[in-house]
Every structure is written in structure tokens, then in C-alpha cells.
Amino acid sequence: MTQLLPWLDYNLLKTLHIISATLLFGTGLGTYFFMIRAARSGNTEALRVTSATVVLADWLFTTPAVIVQFATGLLLMELLGLSFTSTWFLVVMALSAFVGALWLPVVWMQIVLRNMLRELPEGAPLPPRFSRMVKVWEALGYPAFLSGPLVFALMVYKPWIA
């Protein structure tokens, strides 16, 4: 691949990979924290603003970071000559798929929650469905964010690679 794309620079790719990982984890953790805080406050107006911001942050930061992570990761694998069938790569991909499987329903829920709040008349109480959905949304975040440091450790230590 390096002959096909001689302009690829390892340090640039690694920097982009690290920046996108930071954006992915940091944006996710920040929006998770603020959404939980707003939901626990019971303040409908705070929830309206926070849920709209969370959805926007996912579109502006999380989604592009996922794409950059995947692309730079594959290019780095190729540049380093690492096997796409190695135990390390398969574990990283399994963890990434696990986090992605948690993230996709979370994104859908965030949009539903935001829309529910938009349609809620001023001064009306939060519907029971909203509270139930926020609890599921929060529960999906715990395993996703606990997996994050494990992925970071795999990137740094690269176990199983000779």
C-alpha cells in the first residue's frame, strides 16, 4: 500500500487517529454527563436544550470521529504491516463493534427524546415513556464507556503482536 499511496505519513495518520479517538471518547462522555444531569434535574427547558445539543454533537463530532477512526486505523494497519487476522486486531474490532452496537440505539433514542421534548407543551410533565427511555439510554452508556479505556490500552500496548 505504501507504494500505492506514497504520500501517507505514519505520524500524520497516528495523530489523526489519536485526535479522533479523543473526540469520540470525550464528546461521548461529555454529552452523556450533561444529558444525565439534565434528565435528573427534571427541568424540561434544560432537557430541551441539552437533548438538542447532544444530537447536534453526535452529528458534528462523534460521527466524523468514528469515520476517521476506522479509516486511519485501517491505513495504520497497512502501513505497519499488521495482520487483519491477528488476535489483537480481531479483539479491537470486536470491542469496536460492541460499542457501535450500543451507540446506534443510543443515537436513535437521543433523536426520539429530543423530538418528544420539542412536541411537549410548555409546562406539561415529562411523559413516563421519556423517563423509561432515558434510563435505557443511560444504561447503554455504562458498558460503552467502560470499554473505552480498554480500547485505549489495546492501542497503546498492542498485546498479542510479536
Side-chain angles (χ1 to χ4, degrees):
M1 163 133 347
T2 53
Q3 287 84 17
L4 296 175
L5 302 170
W7 51 269
L8 281 180
D9 179 70
Y10 171 78
N11 288 321
L12 174 62
L13 283 175
K14 189 171 181 179
T15 300
L16 291 172
H17 197 68
I18 291 167
I19 290 169
S20 65
T22 303
L23 278 171
L24 188 58
F25 192 74
T27 301
L29 198 57
T31 56
Y32 185 69
F33 173 77
F34 288 113
M35 186 69 170
I36 289 170
R37 294 287 296 164
R40 290 186 181 163
S41 78
N43 181 322
T44 305
E45 193 51 40
L47 275 164
R48 275 191 183 105
V49 172
T50 303
S51 66
T53 302
V54 165
V55 170
L56 181 61
D58 258 351
W59 285 113
L60 293 177
F61 302 108
T62 309
T63 302
V66 168
I67 294 165
V68 171
Q69 272 290 283
F70 188 70
T72 58
L74 293 179
L75 290 169
L76 286 166
M77 288 285 293
E78 191 68 34
L79 279 177
L80 293 171
L82 299 174
S83 171
F84 290 99
T85 60
S86 69
T87 302
W88 173 78
F89 181 74
L90 295 175
V91 170
V92 167
M93 290 311 295
L95 272 172
S96 298
F98 173 69
V99 172
L102 296 170
W103 180 62
L104 289 174
V106 160
V107 169
W108 172 79
M109 283 186 243
Q110 289 169 178
I111 293 168
V112 170
L113 292 167
R114 179 203 60 194
N115 293 344
M116 235 188 280
L117 289 162
R118 283 181 175 170
E119 296 164 5
L120 191 66
E122 194 70 35
L126 292 170
R129 179 175 181 233
F130 183 90
S131 300
R132 285 192 307 272
M133 192 173 275
V134 166
K135 286 178 184 169
V136 173
W137 179 89
E138 181 179 344
L140 290 172
Y142 291 116
F145 286 115
L146 290 174
S147 299
L150 184 53
V151 173
F152 277 102
L154 287 169
M155 293 298 120
V156 171
Y157 295 105
K158 292 181 184 53
W160 310 300
I161 293 183

